Amino acid sequence: MMLAGVLSRNGLRGAAQLLNNDLGRSRVARLCGVSSPEPIVTKETAPQPTSPPSTSTPLPNSPVKKQGGKTPLTVALYNFWKEKIGTVQLDANVFGTPVRKDILQQVVRWQLAKKQQGTHKTKKRGEVSGGGRKPWAQKGTGRARAGSIRPPHFRGGGVAHGPVPRSHEYKLNKKVKRLGLKCALSAKASEDRLLVVDSLKMEDGKTKNLHERLSALLGGTPRTSVLMIDTGKEADDGGALVRQAGGNISGVEILPVEGLNVYSVLKRDTLVLTRNAVDIATERLTRPIKR
């Protein structure tokens, strides 16, 4: 009864505060007829376990992985006659990305939609020639009333809800476009359809000379469709002569590195990049995206 009185006067919180100190516990013990109450161990007063000192030995130095934790890819560096002259390292964040077909499909559809001209047009009933007068009288002929011979349900009439000139372009996020190009380059690298050359420069613009070089360069590949990338039309690693020579060969496409795109990479069987084009493409695909 006396303990119930303490609880009724102080409440549960007050009773807990009494039990948390020695004076309060002694008071409650006297009321309950207990001579020496045991101290109550709470979360704050409980002894904290101490962890033993660490006796583990440090691990040996592991090899340092560069480029965001991925080991760079090492590929052969050739000249235009496919003679090996060294090696070059490719950024694994660009040429070692897991290939996602859904991203490739999104980017290709976006490119083709943006490429579409959108000049489709049909004539409406007001644009079709003729039909200016009423074909027959409103009443008395037994036929349905008509005010023109050019409505959509008449032969030779206009088209209802036909296509009009418009743009088919739509927005695609920058990160998706960038990831799509990385996946396309990684797919070529994983299939051994990526060649890195020091230069595509030619002494003349003859198609025969370029055909001989491509035959040597693509000798080990199953097909001969090729996309060649240099740093520009007036650059030292390509230029106008190789474009003049390749303009008359079917299945050969030559682009500057600024025009590197997913659709062209996937369309051609083999991708040939100059060393400078690799550096520019890597810098383009790894710099921060401007929001």
Side-chain angles (χ1 to χ4, degrees):
M1 293 296 293
M2 301 181 67
L3 180 59
V6 173
L7 291 176
S8 63
R9 288 193 304 269
N10 300 321
L12 292 177
R13 184 174 298 178
Q17 293 177 356
L18 287 175
L19 295 176
N20 282 336
N21 56 76
D22 296 337
L23 182 59
R25 286 195 297 271
S26 301
R27 180 182 175 188
V28 173
R30 290 196 304 269
L31 294 175
C32 296
V34 181
S35 59
S36 58
E38 297 181 357
I40 298 177
V41 180
T42 61
K43 185 178 180 180
E44 292 77 7
T45 60
Q48 300 296 329
T50 58
S51 57
S54 176
T55 59
S56 60
T57 58
L59 296 176
N61 294 330
S62 57
V64 179
K65 293 185 179 181
K66 300 179 181 180
Q67 301 171 353
K70 294 183 179 180
T71 305
L73 307 177
T74 302
V75 297
L77 178 64
Y78 301 101
N79 59 11
F80 212 166
W81 294 98
K82 206 176 182 181
E83 297 173 352
K84 186 176 179 180
I85 58 177
T87 59
V88 62
Q89 288 188 342
L90 304 179
D91 193 338
N93 293 318
V94 177
F95 295 91
T97 303
V99 179
R100 290 186 53 182
K101 295 182 180 180
D102 59 326
I103 296 295
L104 294 175
Q105 188 260 0
Q106 290 183 40
V107 179
V108 169
R109 284 179 60 90
W110 169 77
Q111 279 191 243
L112 295 180
K114 187 176 181 181
K115 184 180 178 181
Q116 191 170 346
Q117 287 185 343
T119 55
H120 35 51
K121 177 70 171 69
T122 57
K123 289 185 178 182
K124 301 178 182 180
R125 62 179 294 173
E127 299 170 338
V128 180
S129 176
R133 68 180 181 87
K134 190 174 178 65
W136 49 79
Q138 178 80 356
K139 303 173 72 67
T141 62
R143 305 184 65 182
R145 53 193 176 189
S148 173
I149 59 172
R150 294 294 182 253
H153 62 284
F154 272 49
R155 179 177 179 273
V159 177
H161 311 296
V164 295
R166 68 182 180 91
S167 173
H168 292 265
E169 181 182 0
Y170 58 89
K171 182 182 179 298
L172 189 67
N173 291 337
K174 292 181 180 179
K175 60 172 66 176
V176 178
K177 291 185 281 187
R178 173 175 291 190
L179 181 57
L181 188 52
K182 287 182 179 180
C183 291
L185 296 175
S186 301
K188 292 299 182 185
S190 63
E191 297 172 357
D192 293 331
R193 296 179 180 272
L194 173 65
L195 298 176
V196 181
V197 298
D198 60 342
S199 177
L200 297 174
K201 191 174 183 180
M202 297 184 61
E203 295 76 15
D204 52 32
K206 294 184 178 180
T207 302
K208 178 181 177 181
N209 294 339
L210 179 59
H211 190 274
E212 292 176 353
R213 299 193 182 196
L214 288 178
S215 299
L217 192 63
L218 306 177
T221 57
R223 285 171 283 186
T224 58
S225 175
V226 60
L227 171 65
M228 298 190 292
I229 304 294
D230 59 6
T231 56
K233 295 182 179 180
E234 306 298 332
D236 296 334
D237 60 346
L241 291 179
V242 68
R243 285 170 170 77
Q244 178 182 344
N248 200 27
I249 304 178
S250 62
V252 175
E253 185 177 0
I254 305 173
L255 292 175
V257 67
E258 289 81 5
L260 184 63
N261 62 90
V262 175
Y263 180 71
S264 297
V265 172
L266 297 180
K267 184 180 180 181
R268 306 301 176 183
D269 298 315
T270 306
L271 175 63
V272 179
L273 290 164
T274 64
R275 187 169 187 174
N276 294 335
V278 169
D279 297 337
I280 295 176
T282 302
E283 191 276 333
R284 164 187 166 189
L285 295 175
T286 54
R287 64 187 176 207
I289 297 177
K290 293 183 179 180
R291 300 295 181 180

